[in-house]
Amino acid sequence: MEIIKSAKSQNRIKGKIGETLAIKYLEEQGYKILETNYSNKLGEIDIIAKDNDRIVFVEVKERASAKFGYPREAVNYYKQQKIQMVANCYLKNKRLMDSYIRFDVIEILAGNLTHLKNAF
């Protein structure tokens, strides 16, 4: 039981490091970070940012190697649907339903960051 808790803790730490790298990258690209780890009963969105007039919902995925596939492949149809539902709630709650939006994925593979705009 202790080993499982330890592995989960390590994954959370790795996830936070990946999200921190992604935030730094987005800020360097001129994005304004609106929220991080936005969650509701439906799920969570890693980063919500503003790129000019567009609200961007960003999923961050990180892996040490591509042995089990690219990180972007983990953002499957089910995950995309979940992110879209959470994003819809965010937009309703903030009264931003008329906003232009985009869904991006930031993939970090072996320390290399790739920003996939309009990923889905």
Side-chain angles (χ1 to χ4, degrees):
M1 191 67 141
E2 191 63 36
I3 293 172
I4 293 171
K5 285 182 182 177
S6 178
K8 285 183 180 179
S9 294
Q10 287 177 345
N11 285 341
R12 278 194 204 106
I13 292 168
K14 287 178 188 176
K16 288 291 179 197
I17 292 169
E19 288 173 15
T20 301
L21 289 172
I23 289 166
K24 183 178 179 194
Y25 164 81
L26 290 170
E27 288 176 334
E28 288 172 355
Q29 302 304 309
Y31 289 67
K32 179 182 178 196
I33 305 303
L34 302 175
E35 303 256 358
T36 59
N37 303 112
Y38 174 82
S39 64
N40 62 27
K41 63 183 178 180
L42 300 173
E44 180 182 333
I45 296 176
D46 294 328
I47 301 169
I48 303 172
K50 191 145 190 189
D51 179 25
N52 296 315
D53 65 342
R54 194 167 303 270
I55 296 175
V56 184
F57 299 94
V58 184
E59 179 68 12
V60 180
K61 290 294 180 190
E62 182 176 15
R63 289 192 179 160
S65 77
K67 182 177 180 180
F68 299 106
Y70 287 94
R72 69 185 84 169
E73 294 169 349
V75 188
N76 58 26
Y77 177 78
Y78 172 76
K79 181 72 173 172
Q80 292 172 16
Q81 294 300 311
K82 198 170 185 179
I83 292 168
Q84 289 172 344
M85 287 189 296
V86 176
N88 194 40
C89 289
Y90 173 83
L91 294 169
K92 283 182 182 177
N93 289 340
K94 300 291 184 178
R95 294 187 165 92
L96 296 169
M97 291 302 291
D98 293 333
S99 300
Y100 293 108
I101 64 168
R102 190 175 78 216
F103 295 93
D104 293 1
V105 173
I106 290 185
E107 168 182 88
I108 303 169
L109 179 60
N112 296 310
L113 187 146
T114 303
H115 183 184
L116 303 159
K117 294 181 180 180
N118 285 312
F120 57 94

